[in-house]
Amino acid sequence: MDIITMIIAALFSQNFVLVQFLGICPFLGVSKKIDSALGMGIAVTAVMVLTCLVTYPIYAYVLIPLKIQYLYILVFILVIASLVQMLEMFLKKFSPGLYSSLGIYLPLVTTNCAILGIAKTVTATVSEGAIVSMAFSLGGAVLSGLLYGLGFTLAIVLLAGLRSKVDKLNIAKPLRGFPITLITACFMAMAFYVFTLVA
Amino acid sequence: MNFKKIKNLALDGLVKQNPTFKLVLGTCPTLALTTAATSSFGMGIAVTAVLIFSNIIISLLRNIIPDKVRIPCFIVIIATFVTIVELAMNKFLPDLYDSLGVFLPLIVVNCLILGRAEAFASKNPVLDSALDGLFMGLGFTAALTLMGIVRELLSSASIFGIQLWDPTVFSIKFFGSSAGAFLTYGVFIALFTVCYNAIENKARRASAQKALAKEAE
């Protein structure tokens, strides 16, 4: 796959949040301020890259040879949960500054559907005939983790920017909170939809 | 376990604490699968099944699981039931399995299930937890199906796959798209809030009047 096509797909036309609806909970929950949205985005991107790096070999070299692919949900969720826990401990020990700014988002990332979603997406390509091209190799898996993570960051930071303006307006009472956020996201999704037509 | 308790659990799950419109939990499948009524109903039932069984098991083990590692324990229990539901659906309902796609394994990380495990099942006896799972699941199913019906009707003029009129005469494709999902969900939450507040105010006024009447006596 052409790398530019891959970048456009991950950031816009196949955007995890606005097109595939993965990771909506943090998208709605942690998008009040741009700073926290950026922190969440970076945490998700980092965990996505790590997840791809670990789950892809586990699926290709452990689950498939043992013919226990059907256990992938259990294995992936355990691997991801322990991975996030380890990352948290590592940051706490070696980079307290980074920990204080990103640490609070890490536990939330474990139960983010975007993480399990990317693991499922990159490993689904293995079971369908194991074609060795860039998108299906380990490097491709890690790259797509990074790009989809950046797509998530882009969407959540943009929404936080919009919300910081929208929340100051005088909005009808029943629309305050989630409804107006969802309607804002609706207009963002429309803008991103244009890229699906291009691609 | 008496009738009043069951009624309260039912009211909580379906209306007062409705997971979709009130708590806004499990939003990913709500947005992604409500393009058609069938897939939203199927998703609702799958979530309900997982919720009931995981609530029962977690409630049974609530005194055994150590407090510090409860979240990983809950996740493993939930993942087991999701695997069972996924394998069963793959075998018996392959069409539904295909239409749910990646969102079927993602039930594991549905905040609704983990939320109920943490907030209810880990503190309450088995029967209560099972009923809580049932009614929360039904509230989720009802909300998803309602949204699915509206979106399917507007975008392709059909309900549960049954064509009602010619879609070339009147249909709004927008409601089938991702932007339409966000808009429908937002409008639904707003409408639910309006209706809920109106009913609650009415009930409050009625009880206040009753109290006044009692005082006058």
Side-chain angles (χ1 to χ4, degrees):
Chain A
M1 203 199 291
D2 192 0
I3 187 143
I4 294 168
T5 329
M6 212 168 149
I7 291 172
I8 290 177
L11 289 183
F12 303 110
S13 67
Q14 291 297 317
N15 187 288
F16 249 33
V17 182
L18 292 166
V19 181
Q20 300 197 38
F21 301 119
L22 294 167
I24 298 289
C25 296
F27 180 66
L28 297 177
V30 201
S31 56
K32 275 212 176 84
K33 287 191 194 116
I34 294 182
D35 298 346
S36 50
L38 192 63
M40 187 71 195
I42 293 169
V44 166
T45 310
V47 176
M48 263 186 171
V49 171
L50 278 176
T51 303
C52 292
L53 192 67
V54 175
T55 51
Y56 185 90
I58 288 182
Y59 192 77
Y61 302 114
V62 179
L63 294 188
I64 287 187
L66 292 175
K67 294 204 171 55
I68 47 167
Q69 295 99 305
Y70 56 86
L71 282 180
Y72 74 95
I73 301 176
L74 259 170
V75 173
F76 284 3
I77 195 79
L78 280 178
V79 167
I80 292 166
S82 36
L83 206 67
V84 172
Q85 191 77 51
M86 262 152 58
L87 186 67
E88 205 183 334
M89 275 147 61
F90 181 82
L91 282 182
K92 208 176 195 171
K93 176 94 177 137
F94 293 104
S95 171
L98 199 59
Y99 177 77
S100 61
S101 57
L102 286 186
I104 42 167
Y105 305 110
L106 281 174
L108 293 171
V109 173
T110 320
T111 52
N112 182 346
C113 8
I115 308 293
L116 200 59
I118 190 84
K120 172 82 179 143
T121 313
V122 295
T123 52
T125 54
V126 186
S127 51
E128 287 160 10
I131 313 154
V132 184
S133 72
M134 202 189 82
F136 303 122
S137 64
L138 179 60
V142 173
L143 185 64
S144 59
L146 177 69
L147 291 175
Y148 280 108
L150 289 178
F152 177 88
T153 313
L154 178 72
I156 195 170
V157 170
L158 284 179
L159 181 71
L162 287 171
R163 273 185 79 176
S164 63
K165 299 263 182 239
V166 169
D167 286 351
K168 282 184 195 134
L169 302 174
N170 190 13
I171 297 157
K173 214 175 170 192
L175 282 175
R176 275 178 210 163
F178 279 115
I180 196 69
T181 312
L182 283 162
I183 292 166
T184 315
C186 158
F187 290 108
M188 283 176 65
M190 267 196 246
F192 277 65
Y193 181 70
V194 176
F195 288 95
T196 1
L197 303 178
V198 176
Chain B
M1 200 75 199
N2 50 32
F3 179 72
K4 206 180 169 197
K5 208 169 182 188
I6 298 174
K7 197 183 138 198
N8 277 342
L9 279 175
L11 261 182
D12 269 354
L14 293 170
V15 187
K16 282 186 190 161
Q17 300 282 320
N18 187 291
T20 310
F21 296 143
K22 197 82 190 169
L23 305 179
V24 196
L25 292 175
T27 41
C28 300
T30 312
L31 289 167
L33 295 172
T34 48
T35 44
T38 323
S39 62
S40 29
F41 183 70
M43 185 68 199
I45 294 300
V47 168
T48 309
V50 175
L51 193 54
I52 294 173
F53 288 117
S54 68
N55 263 9
I56 290 175
I57 298 293
I58 288 166
S59 173
L60 281 172
L61 297 174
R62 70 183 185 282
N63 295 326
I64 302 169
I65 296 175
D67 208 37
K68 271 190 180 163
V69 289
R70 64 184 192 287
I71 301 288
C73 294
F74 294 167
I75 290 181
V76 171
I77 293 167
I78 295 166
T80 313
F81 284 112
V82 172
T83 310
I84 294 171
V85 167
E86 197 199 11
L87 292 174
M89 198 178 269
N90 194 2
K91 170 81 180 156
F92 298 111
L93 297 162
D95 288 343
L96 188 60
Y97 178 82
D98 287 338
S99 70
L100 296 187
V102 71
F103 288 96
L104 194 54
L106 286 183
I107 295 176
V108 179
V109 282
N110 192 320
C111 7
L112 167 60
I113 296 174
L114 201 62
R116 289 327 285 173
E118 172 83 9
F120 199 93
S122 59
K123 296 185 189 98
N124 286 289
V126 180
L127 196 58
D128 292 32
S129 304
L131 283 172
D132 177 73
L134 174 69
F135 290 123
M136 279 286 163
L138 286 182
F140 184 72
T141 312
L144 248 70
T145 312
L146 201 63
M147 277 177 66
I149 287 173
V150 168
R151 283 186 65 195
E152 195 183 343
L153 196 67
L154 287 172
S155 68
S156 53
S158 59
I159 291 179
F160 286 105
I162 302 160
Q163 204 70 46
L164 291 185
W165 64 77
D166 186 8
T168 49
V169 178
F170 176 80
S171 67
I172 311 168
K173 280 274 175 303
F174 170 77
F175 283 98
S177 71
S178 53
F182 284 110
L183 184 68
T184 318
Y185 195 15
V187 170
F188 260 94
I189 296 180
L191 286 177
F192 183 85
T193 318
V194 169
C195 297
Y196 183 81
N197 287 347
I199 292 168
E200 206 175 43
N201 283 342
K202 209 176 170 186
R204 204 177 295 148
R205 229 171 285 145
S207 67
Q209 255 167 12
K210 218 181 254 172
L212 269 180
K214 223 174 214 176
E215 244 170 55
E217 269 175 27

